[in-house]
Amino acid sequence: MPATAPKPGLVLLVVSTAAFLASLDTFIVTIAFPGIRAAFPGDGLATLSWVLNGYTVLFAACLAPAGRLADRYGRKRLFLIGVAVFTLASAACAAAPSIPVLIAFRAVQAAGAALVMPTSLALLLTAFPPHRRPVAVGVWASVGAAGT
């Protein structure tokens, strides 16, 4: 039995939520810095800055390769892998016993987020007919921007 095409509204909800979370995680750590600093008092500000910077640098560096991998291995597959990696790494970040471990898990989290962003847009574009794409992309971009 052939698979049915997903409903465009559901696709928009799922990919926009994923884009929101990936974008949110880029800078949400700045709000948590006082708590992170208190939890790891032996680490200096220069080391703590890598909790944010490591994510941002790796996220940006992985976006184009992630899109290429999605073209090669499938957008939906890479989107789901990205969401799984991002989610598991988020849980690992919460349990990190030290700043170096937190930085490492944030790097994994960034790689997952980098898989999510290009694939979420690609899935969105294929779910909507051409005349409805501008509004769908506008919603996706606005939700992602709200996360940032």
Side-chain angles (χ1 to χ4, degrees):
M1 176 173 232
T4 59
K7 295 184 179 4
L10 181 59
V11 171
L12 179 60
L13 175 67
V14 170
V15 300
S16 293
T17 300
F20 175 84
L21 292 173
S23 297
L24 177 71
D25 238 50
T26 304
F27 297 111
I28 195 71
V29 171
T30 58
I31 295 169
F33 260 8
I36 294 170
R37 196 168 194 185
F40 303 105
D43 292 290
L45 193 55
T47 303
L48 285 174
S49 72
W50 280 103
V51 175
L52 173 64
N53 296 338
Y55 181 98
T56 306
V57 169
L58 193 62
F59 176 68
C62 290
L63 282 173
R68 178 69 178 115
L69 287 171
D71 288 342
R72 173 174 269 178
Y73 297 108
R75 295 171 184 127
K76 183 178 178 183
R77 174 184 292 161
L78 270 285
F79 175 79
L80 294 173
I81 290 170
V83 168
V85 167
F86 180 83
T87 302
L88 292 171
S90 295
C93 286
S98 68
I99 290 296
V101 172
L102 176 58
I103 293 167
F105 285 135
R106 288 277 293 163
V108 174
Q109 193 181 38
L115 287 172
V116 165
M117 293 305 281
T119 56
S120 66
L121 180 57
L123 290 170
L124 182 70
L125 292 175
T126 59
F128 281 86
H131 70 280
R132 291 184 56 206
R133 287 180 188 154
V135 171
V137 171
V139 170
W140 174 85
S142 297
V143 170
T148 299

